[in-house]
Amino acid sequence: MEEIRKEIDVGDWHSNLAHDEWTPLPVSGSRASARYKHAAVVVDEKLYIAGGSRNGRYLSDVQVFDLRSLTWSSLKLITESSSAENIQEDDGSSLREAFPAISDHRMIKWGNKLLLIGGHSKKSSDNMSVRFIDLETHLCGVVDVSGNVPASRGGHSITLVGSRVLVFGGEDKNRRLLNDLHVLDLETMTWDVVETKQTRPVPRFDHTAATHSDRYLLIFGGCSHSIFYSDLHILDLQTMEWSQPHVQGDVVTPRAGHAGITIDENWYIVGGGDNSTGCLETLVLNMSKLVWSTSTHVEARHPLASEGLSVCSASVFGEKILVAFGGYNGKYNNDIFVMRLKPGESSHPKIFKSPAAAAAAASVTAAYAIAKSDKSDYPPPANPTLNGIGSSLPERDIRNRIDTIKEEKRALESSVAETQVENAKLREKIDEVNSSHTELSQELQSVEGQLISERSRCFKLEAQIAELQKALESGQSIEAEVEMLRRQRSVSDEGEDGTVQRQGSGGVWGLFGR
């Protein structure tokens, strides 16, 4: 590992960081134990690590890394109930039942508390749990929630939109894959089910999720029990419609167990893999332009080419950085890596519209502009319209822009018509496939019937063969008896002087008639 550890000076570590390059931080004193599938949050220049898994065992500790002094410490928790049962940990600490050993959970900061949502534990309940850690008093406990509480799960994603947490997918305690969407109101601690339209992402776990402009929920990657995904799905939180947009840029390989964090309009994706190969690149999705790019690479077997790692953003010494920890790539890791980001230009959020919605919007805008231009008796508006068309512009320019909008509308309507034709063709193909599937099912049933008949014949033939084998064995016994009688006869035909006496008529039975 020494060839990848260009460690930096503890006292002035932030000033020498290169842009878009992962750098390991030196650690003073003891380290947090190596792990993966933990949860991580940065608060006030401190990285909080809660739970996780190592060698098949769930962990229940909370470790804190100070990004200024570069030192680890353990957070000593107290519980709401003094009667709760103590749990002894490997490091000698004692935690209450309110904070059990847990893995594959998610964690966010809300107020002065850390909220731990979901996860797998040895004593998992049927419903998803919400636990809290008070950062001021170090009190921990279980949050009382109400409403339509979702089933317990791990490997899900959570995203914070205002005062609500969106929970998508995951794997329940019976290893059933999920693709449902739930919302937790943090003001009232009430759960509810979110009903959506269009095609949802297939059930998955160990994916990542992000929100853009507090309007769009993005889901990327993850896996089932046999398939790894690289798809991107977007949910419009106003229309509640799912879509799978066309994405440009670098080719993205399937992955699960990766970590993601958003900074402005960029979504950074670190690590992940497919159970055999770790992903070496740090990806960046520009959520406004829907373009993938690669920020940097690491070497093979690097700790960041791991599954189950975490990544957070932090503001240290007034500068924003990425902080990564843990993961598993054949080895459990406990290194801290940081990356300094290149300053980027912000752009206006992109509105993801379907062709039909875009055509309708263009139509409404054009009609509104025509009405405004025709009603010259009305006073001009104080501010220009959203499209930048104001009454202070010359009428010729307004007419030109209206014509342009009409052309765009016609083009979009044409695109919608083409899409409808393509959909009709796809439906025909689907019908053909369904018809073919029906015929194949009938053929399969016929073949299964023939197979059953042939099996019955085989059973009968096996019974006949068994009977013939018994008859054969009986015939061999009779032959042995005849041979023995022949020998007896030859002995009796010999006289006392050793000469053979002439046998009379009657054959063998004549011997007994003398």
Side-chain angles (χ1 to χ4, degrees):
M1 294 292 293
E2 292 301 326
E3 66 274 13
I4 63 173
R5 292 183 177 277
K6 297 183 286 186
E7 292 187 347
I8 47 187
D9 180 62
V10 176
D12 193 29
W13 66 266
H14 65 286
S15 61
N16 298 320
L17 288 179
H19 288 105
D20 288 350
E21 181 180 335
W22 287 106
T23 306
L25 290 181
V27 175
S28 302
S30 60
R31 295 172 177 257
S33 60
R35 67 193 68 197
Y36 82 137
K37 294 189 175 183
H38 53 279
V41 168
V42 171
V43 180
D44 296 333
E45 299 185 346
K46 291 182 179 180
L47 173 67
Y48 289 82
I49 302 293
S53 179
R54 176 185 172 90
N55 295 325
R57 183 184 178 190
Y58 298 149
L59 305 177
S60 61
D61 59 335
V62 179
Q63 303 293 329
V64 185
F65 184 74
D66 191 314
L67 289 166
R68 280 185 174 264
S69 64
L70 305 185
T71 56
W72 282 102
S73 62
S74 180
L75 192 64
K76 304 300 181 182
L77 301 176
I78 58 176
T79 62
E80 293 179 302
S81 174
S82 59
S83 61
E85 181 183 355
N86 286 331
I87 302 174
Q88 195 70 24
E89 295 299 314
D90 289 341
D91 58 2
S93 63
S94 179
L95 292 178
R96 304 285 185 173
E97 187 66 15
F99 189 77
I102 192 170
S103 176
D104 248 357
H105 52 296
R106 303 295 179 257
M107 184 166 65
I108 59 171
K109 178 183 180 293
W110 180 248
N112 64 339
K113 294 182 176 65
L114 300 180
L115 297 182
L116 291 81
I117 301 175
H120 294 305
S121 63
K122 291 183 179 179
K123 297 182 180 180
S124 295
S125 63
D126 293 333
N127 296 328
M128 178 174 283
S129 62
V130 180
R131 296 178 171 84
F132 74 89
I133 298 174
D134 192 307
L135 295 176
E136 295 177 358
T137 64
H138 297 176
L139 184 70
C140 71
V142 178
V143 178
D144 292 328
V145 296
S146 59
N148 297 318
V149 183
S152 63
R153 66 193 66 195
H156 51 289
S157 63
I158 67 171
T159 48
L160 183 63
V161 183
S163 62
R164 291 175 172 83
V165 174
L166 293 172
V167 176
F168 175 79
E171 181 186 40
D172 69 10
K173 64 180 183 179
N174 297 318
R175 298 200 69 202
R176 181 171 62 97
L177 297 179
L178 306 168
N179 66 342
D180 50 353
L181 183 65
H182 298 263
V183 60
L184 174 63
D185 189 325
L186 298 179
E187 299 288 352
T188 62
M189 286 299 169
T190 303
W191 283 103
D192 203 358
V193 180
V194 180
E195 300 295 338
T196 59
K197 306 171 186 176
Q198 306 302 330
T199 304
R200 292 182 292 179
V202 297
R204 65 189 65 202
F205 69 109
D206 283 356
H207 54 279
T208 50
T211 55
H212 178 47
S213 302
D214 283 343
R215 176 173 174 179
Y216 302 101
L217 172 67
L218 291 78
I219 304 293
F220 168 67
C223 64
S224 67
H225 294 142
S226 59
I227 301 173
F228 290 81
Y229 302 111
S230 60
D231 50 354
L232 178 70
H233 297 263
I234 295 178
L235 176 66
D236 188 324
L237 297 176
Q238 291 186 6
T239 65
M240 302 312 295
E241 291 185 354
W242 285 103
S243 63
Q244 191 171 358
H246 174 69
V247 185
Q248 298 177 328
D250 294 349
V251 176
V252 176
T253 57
R255 68 196 65 203
H258 47 288
I261 189 70
T262 59
I263 297 179
D264 299 327
E265 64 180 11
N266 291 325
W267 189 13
Y268 292 84
I269 303 294
V270 184
D274 58 4
N275 279 344
S276 60
T277 304
C279 296
L280 308 181
E281 67 275 12
T282 297
L283 297 172
V284 183
L285 176 68
N286 185 307
M287 294 184 290
S288 292
K289 300 177 181 178
L290 290 181
V291 176
W292 283 112
S293 61
T294 301
S295 173
T296 187
H297 287 81
V298 295
E299 300 175 359
R301 311 304 296 176
H302 190 282
L304 292 181
S306 297
E307 298 178 33
L309 77 169
S310 63
V311 63
C312 304
S313 64
S315 181
V316 183
F317 301 105
E319 187 167 4
K320 209 155 216 180
I321 60 173
L322 299 186
V323 183
F325 170 78
Y328 178 78
N329 60 352
K331 174 187 176 183
Y332 295 97
N333 301 304
N334 63 347
D335 300 293
I336 294 281
F337 287 86
V338 295
M339 185 170 75
R340 188 180 188 183
L341 303 177
K342 287 182 180 178
E345 297 180 357
S346 62
S347 63
H348 296 290
K350 180 178 179 181
I351 303 299
F352 305 103
K353 287 184 180 178
S354 63
S363 177
V364 171
T365 304
Y368 178 77
I370 292 171
K372 284 294 182 183
S373 63
D374 290 341
K375 296 180 180 179
S376 57
D377 294 338
Y378 286 91
N383 297 315
T385 65
L386 291 177
N387 288 333
I389 303 174
S391 60
S392 59
L393 295 176
E395 185 177 352
R396 181 183 301 174
D397 291 345
I398 294 175
R399 289 292 181 184
N400 290 337
R401 294 196 180 188
I402 291 173
D403 292 339
T404 301
I405 292 172
K406 287 181 178 179
E407 288 294 332
E408 292 178 355
K409 177 189 172 185
R410 282 192 287 270
L412 288 171
E413 288 176 342
S414 175
S415 176
V416 170
E418 292 176 358
T419 302
Q420 290 174 343
V421 171
E422 292 179 0
N423 288 341
K425 292 180 180 179
L426 289 174
R427 288 193 192 97
E428 292 178 358
K429 291 182 179 180
I430 291 172
D431 292 338
E432 291 178 1
V433 171
N434 289 336
S435 176
S436 176
H437 179 266
T438 302
E439 293 177 358
L440 291 174
S441 298
Q442 292 176 351
E443 291 182 6
L444 178 61
Q445 291 176 355
S446 175
V447 170
E448 287 177 346
Q450 295 177 7
L451 181 59
I452 293 172
S453 176
E454 292 298 325
R455 285 177 178 171
S456 177
R457 289 182 56 192
C458 288
F459 290 149
K460 291 180 180 179
L461 289 173
E462 288 177 354
Q464 292 176 359
I465 291 171
E467 291 178 358
L468 290 174
Q469 286 179 340
K470 289 182 180 179
L472 180 61
E473 292 174 357
S474 176
Q476 291 175 346
S477 176
I478 292 173
E479 279 188 14
E481 290 181 1
V482 169
E483 181 65 24
M484 183 182 65
L485 290 174
R486 285 176 178 169
R487 290 178 181 175
Q488 290 179 353
R489 176 184 173 186
S490 64
V491 171
S492 61
D493 285 345
E494 292 181 1
E496 294 182 357
D497 56 356
T499 61
V500 178
Q501 299 179 359
R502 184 177 179 84
Q503 181 178 331
S505 62
V508 175
W509 305 107
L511 295 174
F512 299 95
R514 292 180 182 176

